Amino acid sequence: MGKAVTYTMNSKSALGALLVVLGGIVVLNFIGVNLGWIIGLLMPFILIGLGVLGLKNDKKIIGGILIVVGAIMLLGKLAGIFTLLLAIGLIVWGVSVFKGARRA
């Protein structure tokens, strides 16, 4: 049997993987495959993940900044869903108030 190889990702290999992925996306965009909407959705999660990684490595200020920026970007991306949920909630609340007013 062969010897099992375990591999842990350190910060340099993570940076290398990130650079390879970003380069691949640029090449795909160059040949006409547009993945901008995916990157626009993934970028807030990437920032939050890097912020958590920063907090784990005792880089509290930069980690906190990255988490806050990622969360703000994510709220911006999900604003349409929040607005839809708010509208549905208002409709349900209005119907329940209307039904309650008819009983009295």
Side-chain angles (χ1 to χ4, degrees):
M1 291 273 169
K3 190 177 187 183
V5 176
T6 58
Y7 182 74
T8 58
M9 186 171 279
N10 60 21
S11 61
K12 286 191 178 191
S13 60
L15 177 63
L18 180 66
L19 291 174
V20 168
V21 169
L22 288 176
I25 291 169
V26 170
V27 169
L28 285 173
N29 192 25
F30 184 74
I31 61 174
V33 179
N34 190 0
L35 300 175
W37 63 275
I38 293 174
I39 297 304
L41 188 60
L42 287 179
M43 195 62 181
F45 290 110
I46 292 170
L47 286 176
I48 292 170
L50 289 173
V52 169
L53 189 64
L55 289 177
K56 286 184 177 181
N57 291 325
D58 293 328
K59 307 286 187 198
K60 295 185 191 304
I61 294 174
I62 191 70
I65 290 171
L66 287 174
I67 289 173
V68 168
V69 169
I72 291 171
M73 287 174 65
L74 189 59
L75 284 175
K77 300 285 181 191
L78 299 178
I81 294 172
F82 289 140
T83 304
L84 179 63
L85 291 175
L86 177 64
I88 291 170
L90 289 173
I91 291 169
V92 169
W93 185 26
V95 168
S96 68
V97 168
F98 183 66
K99 283 185 177 181
R102 289 183 60 190
R103 288 186 193 155

